[in-house]
Amino acid sequence: SQKIEQNSEALNIQEGKTATLTCNYTNYSPAYLQWYRQDPGRGPVFLLLIRENEKEKRKERLKVTFDTTLKQSLFHITASQPADSATYLCALNNAGNMLTFGGGTRLMVKP
Amino acid sequence: EAGVAQSPRYKIIEKRQSVAFWCNPISGHATLYWYQQILGQGPKLLIQFQNNGVVDDSQLPKDRFSAERLKGVDSTLKIQPAKLEDSAVYLCASSLDRRITDTQYFGPGTRLTVL
């Protein structure tokens, strides 16, 4: 069956450092992969979408890579700030815009 | 632009009772989704509507869950009867259409506690 894994343990980093979050998947051939941010008590907010034929995508301090051979995506936040503290979710997307989410990784950025 | 609205924000019920959640999507969005998010997990898609028709409800427990979007705008999700394992946040999302590149916008969710 399809499986999407994100590190369930919280990631604690110091302000100014680069945060790297991992998303691994099995038994799946997604055409697209997305990353979302979720704050407590709120719904997820879309951040970035990367296509299977793209290796890397950037948006301001965010960078996403997508390796379909390794079946892995990495999500980087450079120059991290306490305001970046949240849960980050990866989601795989095939036809019809139906998303399958991973369990999310909580990021804590300490000042 | 107003976001996706959901109500109520919180609901506490006893098991075997029924409950309904309401969602008002972003104006002009043809596609509406209901997700279930259990504490510590990612959202799980329950049902997808395109206008007032169901596109996919393969993960909706149809023995107890039902959903409708009668006029192609607002939607309601009902659970009857509720079980303890239904305790979760129910998220509604909408997108302009069903293209993969159409961003899904999520509401704040309804937190359901079943006692």
Side-chain angles (χ1 to χ4, degrees), chain A residues 2-17:
Chain A
Q2 299 166 355
K3 200 171 182 182
I4 303 166
E5 289 185 339
Q6 296 185 254
N7 195 342
S8 59
E9 289 185 16
L11 177 64
N12 294 290
I13 64 167
Q14 207 65 36
E15 182 176 9
K17 301 293 186 183

Side-chain angles (χ1 to χ4, degrees), chain B residues 13 19 21 51 63 75 100 105:
Chain B
I13 62 172
V19 64
F21 313 126
N51 297 309
D63 58 334
S75 177
I100 286 178
Y105 296 88

Side-chain angles (χ1 to χ4, degrees), chain B residues 19 21 34 47 49 60-68 75-80:
Chain B
V19 64
F21 313 126
W34 283 101
I47 189 167
F49 289 95
L60 187 74
K62 298 180 190 63
D63 58 334
R64 297 183 300 106
F65 286 63
S66 65
E68 60 182 15
S75 177
T76 55
L77 176 70
K78 296 179 182 177
I79 307 175
Q80 183 179 14

Side-chain angles (χ1 to χ4, degrees), chain B residues 14 22 26 34 45 49 55 65 71 80-81 97 105 112-113 115:
Chain B
E14 302 272 337
W22 174 80
I26 292 173
W34 283 101
L45 180 66
F49 289 95
V55 175
F65 286 63
K71 295 183 179 179
Q80 183 179 14
D97 210 306
Y105 296 88
L112 173 67
T113 303
L115 303 175

Side-chain angles (χ1 to χ4, degrees), chain A residues 71-110:
Chain A
K71 295 187 182 294
Q72 181 182 77
S73 174
L74 298 179
F75 177 79
H76 307 271
I77 305 176
T78 57
S80 59
Q81 305 166 359
D84 295 325
S85 298
T87 295
Y88 291 87
L89 299 156
C90 76
L92 302 179
N93 192 344
N94 271 330
N97 207 15
M98 288 189 287
L99 297 175
T100 303
F101 281 90
T105 299
R106 187 178 173 200
L107 173 66
M108 298 285 289
V109 181
K110 298 181 180 179

Side-chain angles (χ1 to χ4, degrees), chain A residues 28-49:
Chain A
Y28 210 83
S29 296
Y32 296 79
L33 185 145
Q34 302 184 19
W35 284 87
Y36 285 77
R37 168 183 173 141
Q38 187 171 26
D39 291 286
R42 294 177 177 265
V45 175
F46 171 77
L47 295 175
L48 279 168
L49 175 149

